[in-house]
């Protein structure tokens, strides 16, 4: 999978970006032959999932190099230990043992030029621990949950009003001709507030179907955007890419890279990333930057649910818009 052809930036995308950003408030490779190892873990692991970067034009030589250091690898990429391949980025994503990584690191004639751990990414709801979650649940529900104070369907949720969405609607900023790619848990294609078809489609993936959502998180994000009740950009199109499947434990930065490239292939103007992790990924950062620089695709990511000042990624990359939240009193939300 690689970067799509260049296309012009969308002014409408920038308009919707403002809405999607505010609505969420409601809620390098080395040139030497020595392998550069970006190890983000303090303790060694028996096996780890890593991203290997290689020199231009050396793909086959690198496969042969991998086969030479371990019986687990063959000179083809058809094996269970290969998770992703990005030919235009000169990168493989593999599960490797520490001793195999060390062999690559010390090889002075290697065609590999960089290695990084394929760090985890979590749904925002899992970024805080159980103790924090219990503490939040003890607070009044109007401070924890994103909802109105009553069940009157005619009353705008406080967030929609706070971001001045009604004023934007009057100016015609309703998301027309804008495609927002939601990288998340999938979107429930049967939800009554969402219109499946031209307004809602996604990446065909038999392992993680775009229109199945085991937890409702991605459906929630899509509803904020285009929900028939109170979506802030009712005429936008949502593109769903499911990166969590049914287990919902975590995914990896390389899978976010693959999803972001798929979003570009689907014609997205904006990428929504309501997920994150504590550690950065050079490959993830590079791709999100390229998508913006070359295709004008804006990435918007959640700052996290921990209620603290820690950096989370991809939200903390310079080219990504980081989004936090306020409660009904305009104070920082506890989630």
């Amino acid at each position: 999978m690689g970067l799509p052809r260049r296309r012009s930036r969308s002014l409408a995308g920038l308009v919707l970006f403002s809405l999607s950003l505010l609505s969420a408030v409601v809620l390098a490779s080395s040139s030497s032959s020595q392998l550069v190892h970006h190890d983000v873990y303090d303790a060694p692991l028996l096996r780890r999932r890593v991203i290997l970067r290689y020199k231009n034009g050396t793909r086959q030589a690198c496969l042969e190099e991998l086969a030479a250091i371990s019986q687990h690898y063959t000179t083809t990429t058809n094996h269970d230990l290969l998770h992703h391949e990005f030919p235009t980025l000169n990168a493989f994503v593999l599960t490797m043992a520490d001793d195999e990584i060390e062999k690559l690191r010390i090889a002075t004639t290697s065609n590999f030029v960089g290695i990084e751990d394929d760090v985890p990414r979590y749904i925002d709801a899992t970024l805080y621990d159980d103790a924090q979650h219990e503490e939040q649940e003890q607070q009044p529900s109007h401070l924890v949950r994103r909802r109105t104070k009553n069940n009157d369907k005619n009353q705008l949720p406080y967030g929609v009003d706070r971001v001045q969405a009604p004023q934007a609607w009057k100016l015609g900023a309703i998301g027309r001709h804008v495609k927002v790619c939601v990288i998340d848990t999938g979107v429930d294609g049967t939800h009554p507030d969402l219109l499946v078809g031209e307004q809602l489609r996604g990446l065909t993936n038999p392992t993680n179907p775009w229109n199945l959502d085991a937890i409702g998180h991605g459906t929630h994000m899509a509803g904020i955007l285009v929900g028939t009740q109170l979506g802030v950009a009712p005429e936008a199109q949502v593109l769903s890419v499911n990166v969590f499947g049914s287990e919902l434990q975590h995914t990896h930065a390389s899978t976010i890279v693959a999803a972001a490239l798929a979003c570009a292939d689907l014609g997205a103007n904006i990428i929504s990333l309501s997920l994150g992790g504590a550690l950065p990924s050079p490959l993830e950062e590079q791709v999100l930057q390229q998508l913006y620089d070359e295709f004008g695709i804006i990435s918007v990511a959640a700052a996290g649910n921990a209620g603290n000042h820690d950096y989370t990624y991809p939200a903390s990359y310079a080219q990504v818009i980081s989004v936090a939240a306020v409660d009904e009193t305009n104070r920082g939300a506890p989630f």
Side-chain angles (χ1 to χ4, degrees):
M1 181 179 291
L3 293 169
R5 292 180 298 174
R6 183 187 299 271
R7 55 184 164 80
S8 61
R9 300 184 181 182
S10 168
L11 178 60
L14 295 175
V15 173
L16 178 59
F17 153 70
S18 299
L19 282 176
S20 62
L21 167 63
L22 293 174
S23 67
V25 174
V26 184
L27 301 169
S29 294
S30 170
S31 59
S32 75
S33 60
Q34 186 75 18
L35 185 66
V36 180
H37 188 193
H38 302 286
D39 188 354
V40 297
Y41 295 110
D42 294 330
L45 300 175
L46 182 62
R47 281 197 168 274
R48 65 178 67 179
R49 182 164 157 157
V50 294
I51 301 170
L52 297 177
R53 312 296 294 271
Y54 56 86
K55 300 173 185 176
N56 282 330
T58 65
R59 176 184 179 277
Q60 189 59 36
C62 286
L63 289 173
E64 293 170 359
E65 190 175 340
L66 287 170
I69 67 168
S70 174
Q71 62 181 354
H72 294 116
Y73 310 106
T74 66
T75 54
T76 70
T77 56
N78 186 23
H79 54 76
D80 293 339
L81 297 178
L82 178 76
H83 305 289
H84 296 287
E85 180 181 3
F86 304 107
T88 62
L89 300 169
N90 294 344
F92 297 120
V93 182
L94 298 137
T95 293
M96 300 185 71
D98 281 348
D99 63 334
E100 296 166 351
I101 295 172
E102 181 64 13
K103 289 177 183 178
L104 289 180
R105 190 186 67 80
I106 64 177
T108 58
T109 60
S110 176
N111 288 301
F112 289 104
V113 293
I115 184 170
E116 64 180 91
D117 289 283
D118 194 12
V119 293
R121 296 289 178 253
Y122 303 90
I123 303 170
D124 268 351
T126 66
L127 284 176
Y128 50 81
D129 59 32
D130 291 339
Q132 289 175 308
H133 181 69
E134 291 173 2
E135 180 182 351
Q136 290 174 12
E137 286 300 309
Q138 293 172 3
Q139 299 184 44
S141 61
H142 74 278
L143 292 179
V144 177
R145 300 178 180 85
R146 293 163 242 182
R147 58 176 61 174
T148 57
K149 292 182 179 179
N150 57 52
N151 294 322
D152 184 0
K153 292 185 178 180
N154 294 320
Q155 179 180 344
L156 284 177
Y158 76 89
V160 177
D161 180 65
R162 292 287 198 285
V163 301
Q164 299 180 334
Q167 291 90 321
W169 296 335
K170 291 178 181 179
L171 297 174
I174 54 178
R176 188 175 295 134
H177 307 307
V178 176
K179 297 178 181 178
V180 183
C181 195
V182 178
I183 298 177
D184 214 288
T185 61
V187 175
D188 182 1
T190 66
H191 196 286
D193 286 345
L194 299 174
L195 301 176
V196 178
E198 285 304 310
Q199 191 175 30
L200 178 61
R201 60 189 182 92
L203 177 68
T204 301
N205 183 339
T207 303
N208 297 333
W210 70 265
N211 56 348
L212 295 180
D213 186 354
I215 193 174
H217 190 270
T219 305
H220 188 171
M221 298 303 105
I224 290 173
L225 289 165
V226 299
T228 57
Q229 295 294 321
L230 290 169
V232 296
E235 293 196 16
Q237 183 181 57
V238 166
L239 309 170
S240 169
V241 180
N242 186 346
V243 294
F244 287 100
S246 59
E247 294 184 1
L248 301 174
Q249 295 178 348
H250 69 273
T251 188
H252 293 85
S254 67
T255 301
I256 301 305
V257 167
L261 294 173
C263 290
D265 288 338
L266 291 169
N269 306 109
I270 298 169
I271 295 176
S272 169
L273 296 154
S274 189
L275 49 83
L279 301 170
S281 162
L283 181 66
E284 182 182 59
E285 182 177 19
Q286 174 192 337
V287 168
L288 294 179
Q289 183 69 59
Q290 283 183 255
L291 291 179
Y292 177 73
D293 290 342
E294 300 181 17
F295 312 108
I297 299 174
I298 299 166
S299 295
V300 182
N305 282 356
N308 57 33
H309 298 288
D310 293 343
Y311 288 102
T312 60
Y313 300 89
S316 294
Y317 300 139
Q319 72 278 19
V320 176
I321 304 301
S322 179
V323 179
V326 296
D327 62 23
E328 289 172 279
T329 65
N330 291 332
R331 298 174 63 186
F335 51 82

